[in-house]
Amino acid sequence: GAVVSQHPSWVICKSGTSVKIECRSLDFQATTMFWYRQFPKQSLMLMATSNEGSKATYEQGVEKDKFLINHASLTLSTLTVTSAHPEDSSFYICSARDQEREPYEQYFGPGTRLTVT
Amino acid sequence: GQNIDQPTEMTATEGAIVQINCTYQTSGFNGLFWYQQHAGEAPTFLSYNVLDGLEEKGRFSSFLSRSKGYSYLLLKELQMKDSASYLCAVTDSNYQLIWGAGTKLIIKP
């Protein structure tokens, strides 16, 4: 149990276009989902916390107008990178927390590798 | 502020034992996680400690001392596939996960 999927697993887009990444909890309801970004050889960086039915909470330094997060259902959150630029190329990972199951660990999706050309 | 410290990199020999330490200073404490992350992949859950003591799970064990703000992950009978980054993360009083920078473990034959 506790499976999180992410789609797409990798994407290449042109500078200036937008890219949407989906994160789904397949066998549990996730009231809270998290979006991380990881640059090569660096640790995970939390971008935002997404709560179902409410606005996401963004970490300091993350532009909310550039990284649009929607968490419209208990099993789906989306991250849209708007007007992507080469510096947005990174590994984007989502995770979901099962509020019904202690210790409330975060279950990670497989990640999406974004390359902006 | 909140802070989690772990060594940047460690090297060990196949078949040996290695201990990866983690110290933390957070606003509140609701548990400590260890995750394993292979290059280019998402983290996977290894262990969880919320009470003091040692939790053993196969070749991996995790220890916690809340009074010292200290944990370690012990890996026994090291295998080449154990080469990965090991991330320490603490859940604070708001149940937010605070991440360490990770320890890259290199296993040599």
Side-chain angles (χ1 to χ4, degrees):
Chain A
V3 178
V4 176
S5 71
Q6 237 178 288
H7 178 81
S9 55
W10 60 270
V11 58
I12 301 172
C13 70
K14 291 186 177 181
S15 187
T17 61
S18 294
V19 173
K20 180 186 283 189
I21 303 170
E22 292 186 350
C23 178
R24 293 181 186 272
S25 57
L26 299 185
D27 52 1
F28 66 98
Q29 294 184 329
T31 53
T32 305
M33 288 184 170
F34 303 87
W35 288 97
Y36 293 87
R37 181 167 52 182
Q38 187 174 36
F39 293 105
K41 299 184 179 181
Q42 294 186 23
S43 187
L44 293 172
M45 288 177 50
L46 179 65
M47 298 176 67
T49 301
S50 167
N51 293 298
E52 186 265 338
S54 64
K55 291 183 179 180
T57 303
Y58 290 82
E59 295 299 301
Q60 195 170 11
V62 178
E63 302 173 55
K64 62 180 180 180
D65 295 330
K66 180 173 180 62
F67 298 99
L68 302 179
I69 291 173
N70 183 281
H71 192 164
S73 79
L74 286 172
T75 58
L76 173 65
S77 176
T78 60
L79 167 68
T80 302
V81 183
T82 63
S83 186
H85 290 284
E87 57 265 31
D88 298 323
S89 298
S90 186
F91 191 43
Y92 291 86
I93 309 171
C94 76
S95 70
R97 189 163 67 194
D98 184 350
Q99 297 292 118
E100 300 297 320
R101 189 191 316 195
E102 292 191 28
Y104 311 130
E105 71 179 84
Q106 292 185 23
Y107 301 96
F108 286 87
T112 296
R113 189 161 302 283
L114 170 63
T115 302
V116 184
T117 61
Chain B
Q2 312 214 81
N3 194 51
I4 296 184
D5 287 318
Q6 48 181 132
T8 303
E9 186 174 297
M10 299 181 70
T11 303
T13 305
E14 188 177 16
I17 300 173
V18 71
Q19 177 175 312
I20 303 174
N21 295 325
C22 170
T23 58
Y24 63 89
Q25 293 174 311
T26 57
S27 55
F29 178 84
N30 278 302
L32 184 145
F33 294 88
W34 283 96
Y35 283 85
Q36 180 191 60
Q37 185 179 25
H38 285 100
E41 299 179 11
T44 55
F45 171 81
L46 286 179
S47 69
Y48 171 75
N49 294 71
V50 67
L51 299 176
D52 290 350
L54 186 69
E55 295 279 344
E56 296 186 76
K57 190 185 293 185
R59 293 190 299 115
F60 293 3
S61 302
S62 57
F63 171 83
L64 174 67
S65 169
R66 288 172 296 171
S67 63
K68 296 181 179 178
Y70 167 71
S71 172
Y72 67 73
L73 180 69
L74 191 71
L75 293 77
K76 303 177 183 177
E77 301 170 17
L78 287 170
Q79 302 175 9
M80 297 303 293
K81 67 178 182 179
D82 297 330
S83 292
S85 287
Y86 291 85
L87 307 173
C88 173
V90 172
T91 307
D92 68 9
S93 55
N94 294 318
Y95 289 95
Q96 293 286 77
L97 259 186
I98 313 300
W99 292 90
T103 298
K104 182 179 180 181
L105 177 63
I106 300 169
I107 309 296
K108 294 186 175 180

